[in-house]
Structure formats: C-alpha cells, structure tokens
Amino acid sequence: VGGYRAQAREALMKKAKDAAEKVRRWGDAVELEPMTAFDRRVVHQALKEDPDVETHSVEVEGTDKKAILLRPRH
C-alpha cells in the first residue's frame, strides 16, 4: 500500500539502532514499547549482528503483549 510497510519497517529499524546507540553510550538497558511479533522480529534481525547489544522479548506486565529489551552484550 504505497510502500507503507517498507517505510514502517525502516522507521522501526532506525528506532532499534537509536536504542542500541543509547545502550552503547550509557551501558544501561533500554526497553522499546510493546509491539507485534512481526515488528519484534524486525528489531531482532536488525540488531542480531551488533557485537555490543543483545535483544530479548519480555512480557509486559498486565497485558499479553511483549516488548523488546536491549542490553549491553557481555
């Protein structure tokens, strides 16, 4: 639909890379907002080669949704 999905995927990848940069800079964990399984997969794929950051899907308390937690890789 007019490249909407590609644009949304690009925006999601940029958000993931920005969050990874915060993890690298500050050394703290960063949690992204709850998202669909497809969107979580996009984020995991975007950062799987990053040597400094690891990603984990975590359940959001009180919902059936999951968010992504980025942490420094040890």
Side-chain angles (χ1 to χ4, degrees), residues 27-60:
D28 293 331
V30 173
E31 186 173 323
L32 298 177
E33 74 279 356
M35 54 185 77
T36 65
F38 180 83
D39 288 347
R40 287 196 314 273
R41 185 172 186 279
V42 169
V43 172
H44 287 303
Q45 292 291 324
L47 298 176
K48 74 178 183 182
E49 301 295 325
D50 190 314
D52 301 321
V53 177
E54 59 186 20
T55 61
H56 300 278
S57 290
V58 293
E59 294 196 16
V60 177

